[in-house]
Amino acid sequence: MTRISQTTRLEKVEHIVGSGSGLLDFAVKGENGYDTWEGNEDADWTVEDVDSVQNVEEDRYIMYPEGDYFICEIEADTEERNSGPVRCWCE
């Protein structure tokens, strides 16, 4: 697992695991594990072009893209309690 602690852009995101507490895990094609962004509960994040959502456990869910992959632009300045924004979409 890699912590996202600076502004970055991820391409070829196969799915996103989210939680109500503001944690987003990005599964990027060809990488082992997840790139993790930890936001606060009121963080600004949007995921568009979602094909389906599957519950994993209590407050964890997986979002799958309508297309082959999501592209995500992520603003962060620390490993924890980021406020965003995070924007993901499909091309």
Side-chain angles (χ1 to χ4, degrees):
M1 170 177 72
T2 302
R3 291 287 217 183
I4 297 171
S5 60
Q6 62 186 4
T7 299
T8 190
R9 179 180 169 113
L10 300 176
E11 300 195 17
K12 295 190 176 181
V13 176
E14 296 178 317
H15 65 270
I16 302 167
V17 181
S19 77
S21 65
L23 189 72
L24 297 174
D25 293 321
F26 302 92
V28 178
K29 182 178 178 162
E31 291 185 15
N32 292 331
Y34 288 99
D35 290 337
T36 299
W37 178 82
E38 186 173 337
N40 55 47
E41 286 190 38
D42 297 329
D44 177 15
W45 62 269
T46 303
V47 179
E48 299 176 2
D49 306 318
V50 175
D51 180 54
S52 63
V53 177
Q54 176 184 353
N55 285 334
V56 178
E57 46 190 56
E58 272 183 44
D59 73 335
R60 302 276 290 162
Y61 47 89
I62 300 176
M63 295 173 277
Y64 294 99
E66 283 181 351
D68 293 331
Y69 305 103
F70 289 115
I71 297 168
C72 297
E73 291 182 347
I74 303 161
E75 285 193 25
D77 54 9
T78 182
E79 286 189 7
E80 299 176 342
R81 307 185 71 73
N82 288 288
S83 59
V86 174
R87 300 285 178 258
C88 298
W89 69 93
C90 295
E91 286 191 336

